[in-house]
């Protein structure tokens, strides 16, 4: 009887495991097939291209030559389809918005949402000079008056001229206007000569292709999502720390993050806020150079300010964009304040503190911890504390570089 009971128990547990596993596979597959709509994305874009509504450097490869291929689906968000892609000899990431009706100026989190009909601007009869004025006015609202607008407009127009014939057609102008509504595209154009962000390879309408940079996650441990649900946060953080590169390599990765922050702080084309400092936003290549994996939550600071003052709130928790760009709530006016609570540097130090301190050489551990806490204590926008911001950033880079400059990891 005892043996029979044991057999029945194991048979039941085996059946239960098979049932649950099959259900998980079915749900995952159903979700994938329902939301990953690469064929639909290509069909919509190519239909508009064939009608002469849009044009771009990737249109012919996608719709006529079939040399731009959709690969594995990486994101199933309805208005932000992301796929691996192959374009001739290039490996890329294809991003398609699948939003025939409207776009959102700064993303899904900010209210109120500004509706923009897709491919409705510029209209027929608009001159190139008028289009330049449209682009300049739009960029001024995003990056502010202090940016070098004339150079930025010229840069945008060079991207718009996809066939490099020295002219901008109406379909090319419509495509670039749609792309300018997207944070990541503007960032890719502004930082196209920098090494820490993927290059913009081409576009067709609001579909665009960025460089696919092979990278490893900052934390090398990846678990199936059912296991993630059962592991306490503290234990998961400890487990993450076990699967990281050696300390000199972690120091080099962090130096790369500091350099990226320098690039977008008071640059030629204005300042930008990195509003997602989670580890999944970053990666590194085989030389341990930092790479920004997801730039959708990097927003121009001026656009962020203008949007936040329109955001209604009851308390400070209502004034958050992305994951960690926060302002305070004016409870008398029920409106969010414009100034971000902490600059990029402070939030980067907070996110990477444990990552960097674990395994640090004993003789610099105290000094490194002291500098990281000073960094995390920065408050307000970087403009209000430019000298202190620059001093802390340079001190951190100097301290870390002295430790690794003589190693092979550098």
């Amino acid at each position: 009887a005892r043996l029979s009971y044991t057999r029945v128990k194991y048979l039941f547990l085996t059946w239960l495991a098979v049932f649950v596993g099959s259900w998980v596979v079915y749900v995952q597959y159903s979700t994938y097939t329902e939301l990953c709509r690469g064929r639909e994305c290509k069909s919509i874009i190519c239909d508009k291209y064939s009608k002469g509504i849009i044009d771009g450097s990737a249109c012919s490869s996608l719709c006529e030559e079939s040399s731009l291929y959709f690969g594995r689906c990486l994101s199933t968000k309805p208005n932000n389809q992301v796929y691996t892609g192959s374009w001739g000899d290039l490996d890329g990431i294809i991003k398609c918005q699948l939003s025939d009706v409207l776009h959102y100026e700064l993303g899904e989190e900010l209210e109120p949402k500004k509706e923009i009909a897709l491919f409705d601007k510029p209209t027929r009869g608009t001159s190139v000079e008028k289009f330049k004025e449209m682009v300049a006015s739009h960029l001024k609202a995003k990056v502010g008056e202090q940016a070098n607008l004339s150079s930025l407009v010229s840069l945008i127009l060079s991207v718009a001229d996809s066939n490099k014939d020295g002219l901008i057609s109406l379909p090319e102008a419509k495509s670039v206007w749609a792309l300018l509504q997207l944070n990541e595209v503007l960032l890719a154009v502004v930082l196209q000569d920098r090494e820490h962000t993927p290059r913009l390879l081409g576009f067709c309408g609001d579909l665009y292709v960025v460089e696919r940079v092979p990278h490893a996650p900052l934390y090398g441990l990846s678990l199936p999502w059912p296991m993630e649900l059962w592991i306490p946060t503290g234990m998961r953080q400890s487990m993450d720390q076990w699967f990281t590169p050696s300390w000199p390599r972690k120091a080099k990765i962090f130096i790369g993050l500091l350099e990226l922050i320098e690039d977008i702080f008071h640059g030629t084309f204005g300042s930008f806020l990195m509003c997602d400092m989670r580890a999944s936003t970053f990666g590194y290549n085989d030389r341990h150079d930092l790479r920004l994996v997801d730039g959708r939550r990097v927003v121009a600071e001026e656009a962020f300010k203008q949007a936040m003052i329109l955001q209604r709130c009851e308390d400070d928790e209502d004034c958050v964009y992305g994951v960690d760009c926060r302002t305070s709530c004016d409870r008398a006016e029920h409106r969010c304040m414009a100034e971000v609570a902490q600059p990029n540097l402070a939030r980067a130090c907070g996110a990477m503190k444990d990552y960097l301190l674990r395994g640090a050489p004993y003789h610099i551990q105290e000094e490194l911890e002291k500098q990281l806490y000073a960094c995390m204590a920065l408050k307000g926008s970087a403009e209000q504390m430019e000298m202190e911001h620059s001093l802390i950033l340079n001190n951190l880079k100097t301290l870390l570089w002295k430790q690794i400059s003589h190693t092979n990891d550098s």
Side-chain angles (χ1 to χ4, degrees), residues 90-104:
L90 298 174
D91 287 330
I93 299 293
I94 302 174
K95 303 197 176 185
C96 180
Q97 309 315 304
L98 269 181
S99 48
D100 253 359
V101 181
L102 54 87
H103 273 242
Y104 296 128

Side-chain angles (χ1 to χ4, degrees), residues 214-263:
H215 69 276
L218 296 187
Y219 297 104
L221 182 63
S222 179
L223 297 175
W225 67 266
M227 294 182 64
E228 296 273 10
L229 298 176
W230 294 98
I231 298 178
T233 303
M235 181 182 293
R236 177 57 209 252
Q237 290 174 347
S238 297
M239 292 170 65
D240 279 337
Q241 292 286 6
W242 299 338
F243 294 86
T244 56
S246 64
W247 188 84
R249 291 173 175 174
K250 288 193 291 185
K252 185 178 181 184
I253 292 167
F254 186 68
I255 289 173
L257 179 55
L258 295 178
E259 290 172 347
L260 175 59
I261 289 171
E262 279 185 302
D263 286 340

Side-chain angles (χ1 to χ4, degrees), residues 293-306:
V293 178
D294 187 352
R296 286 171 294 172
R297 293 294 174 263
V298 182
V299 59
E301 187 171 8
E302 187 63 28
F304 171 84
K305 290 178 179 179
Q306 292 183 20

Side-chain angles (χ1 to χ4, degrees), residues 159 179 185 188-189 192 197-203 208-211:
V159 172
L179 289 173
V185 175
V189 172
Q192 61 181 351
T197 51
R199 293 181 298 117
L200 179 66
L201 300 179
F203 65 94
Y208 61 100
V209 187
V210 295
E211 177 186 18

Side-chain angles (χ1 to χ4, degrees), residues 123-127 170:
T123 56
R124 186 173 298 278
T126 302
S127 66
L170 182 60

Side-chain angles (χ1 to χ4, degrees), residues 105-139:
E105 188 73 17
L106 286 175
E108 298 170 355
E109 289 85 350
L110 286 178
E111 297 286 351
K113 293 175 180 177
K114 182 177 179 181
E115 298 187 3
I116 303 173
L118 194 56
F119 307 130
D120 69 329
K121 293 181 181 180
T123 56
R124 186 173 298 278
T126 302
S127 66
V128 173
E129 288 304 316
K130 184 66 175 177
F131 181 58
K132 285 183 180 179
E133 292 175 8
M134 287 174 54
V135 171
S137 177
H138 176 76
L139 292 174

